[in-house]
Amino acid sequence: MRLAQVRDEPLSVDEVLGAVRDPDAGGVGLFVGVVRRHDHTKGVEALDYSAHPTAEAVLARTAEQVLRDDVTAVAVTHRTGHLEVGDLAVVVAVSAPHRGPALEVCRELIDTLKTTVPIWKHQQFDDGSDEWVGLP
């Protein structure tokens, strides 16, 4: 694992890709989570991510747990604070000698972090309502 951070500053796809680049890696799996303007049938105005103080440590452990012998490197960043539609919420990259493991582990990491890392999303909808997602 080369990078695992939770931050309240804008995320960079280039930073995360750069963290997993390696001369032994022929494939990189990448996931970029972006704030969308709708959730199910409601329009999203904006959202706020809150994180428990242990979130970054849990994120790092989660990234370490998905490492396998056929994976070269893993990097992940997750945003907190206020985000507008179009902002990057999470960036995950995994490099490996071949594309299969890179893509598999990338998907495993994003799926696992969404259920294990204590980060919560508070969505504000265009009809004035709101919703918390991911609360325990």
Side-chain angles (χ1 to χ4, degrees), residues 4 106-108:
C106 184
R107 182 179 184 123
E108 180 183 350

Side-chain angles (χ1 to χ4, degrees), residues 13 26 43 51 83 85 97:
V13 172
L83 283 76
V85 171

Side-chain angles (χ1 to χ4, degrees), residues 7 17 22 31 49 51 57 59 72 100 104 113 121 130:
R7 57 175 75 145
L17 278 174
D22 191 287
F31 175 80
Y49 278 105
L59 183 63
T72 306
E104 290 166 14
L113 80 83
K121 177 170 60 173
D130 68 327

Side-chain angles (χ1 to χ4, degrees), residues 112-133:
T112 304
L113 80 83
K114 287 183 70 68
T115 60
T116 60
V117 179
I119 296 175
W120 309 287
K121 177 170 60 173
H122 184 211
Q123 298 186 109
Q124 294 89 44
F125 298 110
D126 61 5
D127 65 2
S129 65
D130 68 327
E131 172 187 47
W132 282 93
V133 179

